[in-house]
Amino acid sequence: MGMKYKDKSYTVEERVDDLIGRMTLEEKIGQMMQISFISVSTEEAEEWITRRCAGSFLHALGDDAKRLQEIAMNTRLGIPLLFGIDAVRGHALHNGATIFPTQLGMACTWNPELVKKAGRVTAKEVAADGLHWTFSPILCLGRDLRWGRINETFGEDPHLTGVLAASIIQGYQGDSLSDPDSILACAKHYIAYGEGTGGRDAYDSQISMRKVREVFLPPFRKAVEAGCATFMSSYQSIDGTPVTANKRALRGLLKEELGYDGFVVTDWNNAGSLISNQHVAGDMETAAKKTIEAGNDMIMNTNEFYEAALRLVRNGIVPEELIDDAVRRILRIKFKLGLFDGRANSATVAGAYPGSGSAAHNAVGQDGSIIGCKEHLDTALEITRQSIVLLENRNNTLPLSGTEKKIAVIGPNADDIQSHFGDWTFLSHPEPKPDEAPILPVYTILSGIREFAEERGISTVYHKGCDIMDVEDEDISGAVECAADSDVVVAVVGDCLRQNGEYKDRADLSLSGSQQKLLETLKKCGKPLIVVLVSSKPLAMPWAAENADALLAAFNPGMFGGRAVAEIIFGEVNPCGKLPISFPYHSGQLPVYYNQLPGWHGGRYMDMPGRPLYSFGYGLSYNCYEYSGLRLSQTTCTADDTVTVYVDVTNAGPYDGMETVQLYVKDVISSVVTPVRQLKGFVKTEIRSGETKTVEFTLPVSELYIIDENEKQVVEPGEFEILVGPDSRPESLLKAVLTVL
Ligand code: NOJ
């Protein structure tokens, strides 16, 4: 009799049933195991496949993945492996792939279409490398800027994060998972990771489940709705319960309440951390029991889980049905991906892509190939352009007039590729490799400005001035000499890899090392001072905000960062990025996210302004946009209605440009305290110089919900302020009132 599970004419469910029916308990638990390729020897890796039927590997690339897959295909049941990789900003761990700005940079575009395109490009490059799954997007909210992983977020706001999440997931997963260039997305880190006490990575999130539902769930809900195939459970605990062991959050909220039918992978050694870090289990059996019961399906890099889980089922402590449920979820995805129907045999999709070669590593960077091809690089350039945020432009310092003779480019990040790249690229993982040469061209701010200056017959000089961290390593007088002899100074400051990423939380967000001194001394030269921030996140830099003639933020902009900044400085591109996250004056002022709850005493410190240095949604262009005529299709409604909101936006400047029009809502009176305003919609649109555009928002009244004291989602009757404008600051917003009956 033929093997039903190998026959495409049966449904996925029929095939899964058939295969599970043939599997031993050992094989089932094996499928739940995800092995870290870089943490085991070659022999161990092979044994995990041949002796224990491991389900997945992470961090195996190209030819290694291909070899492991061949071994898996020759096992008793021939269940293909799933290969996962942290391709969180392009397939960036692979030297030669297209590298996008970090998620934080991408979020500055406020452009869901472009973000979706970035997802598509990533999927094609990851799939061309024979891999199936990216651990992306990150849906944690960047609300405490001290946290080392702010760069990985789409910023501080649940709505913006949710919209961009859905877009990038659609990009990764394509029209159908069975398409050879679709890969699995992974919504991580579920849930409320990033809210660790004091901005400390993986510390307890001291919040209630009501708060989880109100603030942290919305982007993950959007991920479920977008069909995100996998979720990753986070490291930290919530109010003392580790998420790994949190049945209420995983099995209850995610799987039962939201009806999520994909699978949940733990983060790195979460199961082991229940013992070693969180101390809620004294041995692996207890840890494995908690991990399974809570609703984790695949176990990342806790290899001792395997034997412990076997004992738990054999001894009747954990019912085999729970194992079956986990394995069913994993196999379902493997079938949907087409792994049983040829995709795994080819290991790369070379056949589907002319010129990509048989081993994906040969497919690097030539036109016509997949990885790093011209079309992909063009997408990266466009997204990088839109990711740059203009924060100050006093007296129209920018764009440059073109009459300059000499430009001084100064600063520790002016020509530092690693700082332009930031985290999760081949230069940062598995360990920092400052000397590895990128295969594809990279524009630093210096090389970008140089290229543009040369074309215009302008000369440039460069001086590093100081180090990002090491105060011994400074030559400020050398830098000042260069500056004094130039017509304009571009000072590039920021942070570095040592201050960015896991284990890199910062208590002090001011400019480190001698950077502040460098800026202040440069200012004294009396030349126009353009400050470019190349960093992983907002820093506390009130002096620069007040004293720079122009200030630009480029959050780890990747390979085209310098080119995009040069295009803006020389006026070839009108900047349109807006902040997805607020800047503080001072670290002690944190948190400064815009959607705070109203405070009794004004919510401010006596020694600090009551507002952020730069607010969420803020960003300048070379134009000015005028907002008028805010109106609603109806001013009273029921909770089932959908209201249309209109506003007229005039481009009153000399350039064509793109403006992101933002819609916020304030619940005037509610049964629980609600934020001072919350983003509920945004439209990014092109407006030509002199043109007035009517921008339209569709606002389902159901979006005006609160989570009440019983954790129920309800729309309460009453008045809501509908606020529309260019950013989240109250003085920027037009107001209309909507009454819910
Ligand atoms: C730990 C990180 O928290 C997670 O984001 C990542 O996907 C895994 N390691 C795998 O590298």
Side-chain angles (χ1 to χ4, degrees), residues 530-698:
I530 300 163
V531 176
V532 181
L533 177 70
V534 172
S535 67
S536 63
K537 59 183 168 189
L539 298 180
M541 42 194 300
W543 186 93
E546 223 172 277
N547 292 282
D549 295 288
L551 175 60
L552 288 156
F555 295 120
N556 300 133
M559 57 206 299
F560 289 112
R563 164 105 187 246
V565 166
E567 287 176 343
I568 287 171
I569 287 183
F570 286 96
E572 289 208 352
V573 164
N574 186 5
C576 65
K578 299 227 183 191
L579 293 177
I581 196 160
S582 306
F583 271 65
Y585 279 89
H586 188 277
S587 314
Q589 194 197 15
L590 294 171
V592 289
Y593 52 81
Y594 80 98
N595 46 353
Q596 310 248 337
L597 302 185
W600 199 326
H601 291 155
R604 56 162 298 183
Y605 297 98
M606 53 71 59
D607 52 359
M608 203 52 65
R611 50 167 53 212
L613 180 58
Y614 296 111
S615 297
F616 175 81
Y618 173 80
L620 300 171
S621 78
Y622 293 152
N623 281 329
C624 82
Y625 296 100
E626 289 165 0
Y627 283 66
S628 62
L630 175 63
R631 55 209 183 271
L632 312 178
S633 58
Q634 58 198 92
T635 51
T636 56
C637 62
T638 68
D640 302 326
D641 287 344
T642 293
V643 174
T644 311
V645 179
Y646 306 90
V647 70
D648 301 322
V649 187
T650 302
N651 178 347
Y655 302 90
D656 297 342
M658 306 249 271
E659 170 69 334
T660 301
V661 184
Q662 301 162 37
L663 181 151
Y664 297 85
V665 169
K666 158 95 185 109
D667 192 342
V668 178
I669 304 288
S670 42
S671 64
V672 293
V673 183
T674 51
V676 291
R677 66 199 80 84
Q678 295 186 80
L679 186 74
K680 290 290 176 185
F682 62 92
V683 173
K684 183 164 189 170
T685 184
E686 202 162 350
I687 312 181
R688 288 191 310 276
S689 170
E691 187 191 6
T692 298
K693 242 191 187 168
T694 300
V695 173
E696 217 177 289
F697 296 90
T698 305

Side-chain angles (χ1 to χ4, degrees), residues 172-417:
Y172 290 144
Q173 300 195 165
D175 293 333
S176 161
L177 284 182
S178 63
D179 292 342
D181 62 7
S182 289
I183 59 170
L184 307 174
C186 181
K188 75 183 188 186
H189 309 81
Y190 181 85
I191 190 168
Y193 178 59
E195 198 71 359
T197 310
R200 290 175 226 157
D201 192 36
Y203 269 55
D204 188 58
S205 302
Q206 296 177 343
I207 51 173
S208 64
M209 281 306 280
R210 197 196 71 78
K211 188 59 94 189
V212 166
R213 286 174 184 272
E214 180 184 84
V215 178
F216 302 98
L217 186 62
F220 286 101
R221 187 193 286 122
K222 287 241 173 66
V224 172
E225 288 163 5
C228 189
T230 75
F231 267 54
M232 186 184 290
S233 54
S234 51
Y235 283 148
Q236 98 294 3
S237 50
I238 299 176
D239 192 18
T241 304
V243 172
T244 321
N246 197 328
K247 195 167 166 185
R248 205 171 150 207
L250 290 171
R251 209 173 275 286
L253 181 51
L254 177 62
K255 290 183 168 176
E256 282 161 20
E257 202 178 311
L258 298 187
Y260 175 63
D261 67 355
F263 73 80
V264 176
V265 62
T266 71
D267 201 345
W268 184 266
N269 192 28
N270 275 16
S273 293
L274 293 178
I275 308 170
S276 57
N277 293 323
Q278 292 167 320
H279 311 293
V280 297
D283 54 61
M284 186 40 76
E285 274 184 33
T286 313
K289 180 170 182 288
K290 283 180 187 278
T291 305
I292 298 167
E293 285 176 351
N296 298 281
D297 304 304
M298 186 176 275
I299 312 301
M300 183 192 288
N301 191 42
T302 307
N303 297 355
E304 319 80 70
F305 173 92
Y306 176 82
E307 294 291 341
L310 266 182
R311 284 194 297 274
L312 288 170
V313 182
R314 283 187 189 137
N315 296 333
I317 298 168
V318 165
E320 191 162 346
E321 291 76 58
L322 285 188
I323 304 293
D324 284 353
D325 177 55
V327 176
R328 192 175 289 281
R329 287 169 179 271
I330 294 165
L331 292 178
R332 208 182 268 144
I333 298 287
K334 290 190 176 183
F335 280 110
K336 285 189 184 170
L337 260 184
L339 286 181
F340 287 86
D341 307 319
R343 179 166 176 175
N345 298 336
S346 59
T348 75
V349 289
Y353 295 99
S356 67
S358 59
H361 285 96
N362 299 332
V364 169
Q366 313 124 10
D367 275 356
S369 66
I370 296 298
I371 297 181
C373 68
K374 175 156 187 322
E375 189 193 329
H376 293 180
L377 297 182
D378 287 348
T379 304
L381 175 57
E382 185 51 30
I383 204 163
T384 311
R385 280 181 185 131
Q386 297 194 26
S387 78
I388 309 296
V389 188
L390 179 65
L391 295 170
E392 298 290 347
N393 194 17
R394 298 197 162 88
N395 308 316
N396 294 331
T397 300
L398 293 179
L400 294 180
S401 65
T403 56
E404 301 78 10
K405 299 252 166 327
K406 196 174 196 183
I407 301 176
V409 183
I410 312 277
N413 272 355
D415 200 31
D416 185 300
I417 293 182

